[in-house]
Amino acid sequence: MLKLGIVGLPNVGKSTLFNALTAAKAEAANYPFCTVDPNVGMVEVPDSRLTALAKIVQPKRTVPAAVQFVDIAGLVKGAAQGEGLGNKFLQNIRETDAIVHVIRCFEDPDVTHVMGDPDPARDKEIIELELALSDLAQVEKRLDKTKRAARSNDKDALAELPALERANAALSEGTPLWRAKLSAEDLETLSGLQLLTAKPVLYAANVTDAELSGDEGPLLKKLRDAVAAGNENAEIVPFSAKIESELAELPPEERDEFLASLGITSAGLDRLILAGYSLLGLQTYFTAGEQEVRAWTIHRGDSAPAAAGVIHTDFERGFIRAETVGFDEFVAHNGWKGAKEKGVVRSEGKEYLVRDGDVLLFRFNV
């Protein structure tokens, strides 16, 4: 399951976005620090293919893939030194796969901004620094322990020490690890620390309604320039917290019509989730039987046994083969029976790399 942690300054639209995403009704107010405890919500991954499969198979239940969003209190400049609510609640998002950084890219005198006026580049830097300082505390603690072990010629400690020292040097200067140019080996060594600035970033740019269907404004351009200058592994998804909150109040059958009336082709939620999949190299495969049609999330390049392991470790351990058919062929031939009659169902072994949209039936023996 994809897990995304939401960060940002107070009053940039974080909790409004979270409410719209999850219909959890987390408190949203026009004043800082209204979110103290983390809000956790589950959201279905939008995928029209699942509906098409269910229409053919007519299962007892249909289960979409899901994304978990974790919303925490707004950070302020100086949070690492205890300003605002401090930064200890950042621990709540260390186990996420990526960071969703919500940045306000609109002017509105009726919505206060903790720094006075919105400035996406400045606001981005403030959050980056606070995340880096939080990571620094983690690294310093680990570095002290590792140095003591290395003095006793502990092999694991000696192997870990160089990566920790390089990370410490970067973070001490306030440089996030996504800009520190650490090697893949260093990042793998540090992965157990769940460092926030080593995670990919999705910038959720909260813009005006008009910008979603027309030209981008200067504040969004300023954010794009800042992200480009940082050479980050990141994506920018413009959205309107106002529109998303209005969408959340509508029944599903009325949402497309509402978006069309605004000249918008898709909801911010859908674009945010799809951007997360793209950023993290994720894809979807399906299982389709009378009991259940279900979407499963895996990484691009995963083998058939690894994909089976997402369902249950026994499936991976006892993997024999995977009966495989592409989504388009499954639909074109009206399900398993028609696909088999047309000879388009393949029997794939352990070396097979699962493709996005594959419909799979695993054979295994434990």
Side-chain angles (χ1 to χ4, degrees), residues 77-138:
K77 187 175 183 179
Q81 286 75 45
E83 291 295 323
L85 294 174
N87 68 357
K88 294 191 182 302
F89 48 82
L90 285 171
Q91 291 297 122
N92 294 312
I93 59 170
R94 287 204 176 275
E95 294 185 5
T96 58
D97 300 301
I99 302 298
V100 176
H101 183 176
V102 182
I103 295 185
R104 179 173 158 181
C105 294
F106 67 90
E107 301 273 5
D108 187 341
D110 294 328
V111 180
T112 59
H113 190 290
V114 292
M115 299 299 293
D117 295 320
D119 181 337
R122 177 206 61 207
D123 296 350
K124 174 179 176 294
E125 287 181 5
I126 289 172
I127 297 298
E128 282 184 355
L129 177 59
E130 294 304 327
L131 296 181
L133 292 174
S134 178
D135 280 351
L136 178 61
Q138 296 279 110

Side-chain angles (χ1 to χ4, degrees), residues 53 71 153 196 201 219 225 251 262 313:
L53 292 175
D71 179 36
N153 290 320
L196 297 170
V201 184
L219 292 178
D225 291 345
L262 297 171
T313 54

Side-chain angles (χ1 to χ4, degrees), residues 30-326:
N30 186 23
Y31 56 90
F33 315 128
C34 62
T35 309
V36 179
D37 296 323
N39 291 307
V40 179
M42 304 295 294
V43 184
E44 295 180 359
V45 175
D47 197 325
S48 60
R49 296 174 298 181
L50 192 67
T51 305
L53 292 175
K55 188 174 181 180
I56 291 170
V57 178
Q58 296 291 307
K60 291 183 178 178
R61 66 174 185 161
T62 302
V63 184
V67 175
Q68 183 184 85
F69 284 89
V70 183
D71 179 36
I72 60 172
L75 290 166
V76 296
K77 187 175 183 179
Q81 286 75 45
E83 291 295 323
L85 294 174
N87 68 357
K88 294 191 182 302
F89 48 82
L90 285 171
Q91 291 297 122
N92 294 312
I93 59 170
R94 287 204 176 275
E95 294 185 5
T96 58
D97 300 301
I99 302 298
V100 176
H101 183 176
V102 182
I103 295 185
R104 179 173 158 181
C105 294
F106 67 90
E107 301 273 5
D108 187 341
D110 294 328
V111 180
T112 59
H113 190 290
V114 292
M115 299 299 293
D117 295 320
D119 181 337
R122 177 206 61 207
D123 296 350
K124 174 179 176 294
E125 287 181 5
I126 289 172
I127 297 298
E128 282 184 355
L129 177 59
E130 294 304 327
L131 296 181
L133 292 174
S134 178
D135 280 351
L136 178 61
Q138 296 279 110
V139 169
E140 285 178 338
K141 185 177 179 181
R142 181 70 178 179
L143 183 59
D144 182 58
K145 181 180 178 181
T146 303
K147 281 181 176 178
R148 290 198 303 271
R151 284 195 288 269
S152 302
N153 290 320
D154 181 284
K155 289 183 179 179
D156 291 338
L158 289 169
E160 185 181 3
L161 192 58
L164 284 168
E165 289 178 332
R166 283 188 280 271
N168 186 70
L171 293 167
S172 294
E173 296 178 355
T175 303
L177 294 183
W178 54 63
R179 282 211 303 273
K181 297 182 180 178
L182 298 185
S183 67
E185 291 77 14
D186 282 349
L187 292 173
E188 178 61 30
T189 299
L190 298 167
S191 61
L193 292 177
Q194 297 278 17
L195 299 175
L196 297 170
T197 64
K199 298 180 187 294
V201 184
L202 280 168
Y203 289 101
N206 192 1
V207 300
T208 63
D209 304 2
E211 283 185 76
L212 288 179
S213 56
D215 295 333
E216 294 184 350
L219 292 178
L220 180 53
K221 184 180 185 304
K222 195 168 186 178
L223 175 60
R224 290 195 186 282
D225 291 345
V227 172
N231 194 27
E232 303 169 33
N233 178 23
E235 291 200 26
I236 299 174
V237 180
F239 81 103
S240 164
K242 180 183 175 184
I243 288 177
E244 296 301 318
S245 61
E246 290 175 2
L247 272 174
E249 300 295 330
L250 294 175
E253 62 272 13
E254 294 181 16
R255 292 175 188 173
D256 287 344
E257 184 180 345
F258 174 69
L259 288 171
S261 71
L262 297 171
I264 301 168
T265 56
S266 60
L269 162 61
D270 295 358
R271 287 181 282 107
L272 193 62
I273 291 174
L274 293 176
Y277 268 61
S278 173
L279 184 66
L280 293 165
L282 301 178
Q283 63 180 6
T284 302
Y285 79 87
F286 304 96
T287 52
E290 291 181 359
Q291 293 297 317
E292 176 183 275
V293 166
R294 186 165 185 155
W296 302 90
T297 300
I298 60 172
H299 287 90
R300 287 196 294 268
D302 275 355
S303 66
V310 173
I311 300 176
H312 197 286
T313 54
D314 284 351
F315 281 36
E316 182 173 10
R317 187 159 53 91
F319 179 89
I320 299 173
R321 67 183 185 275
E323 305 298 328
T324 308
V325 60

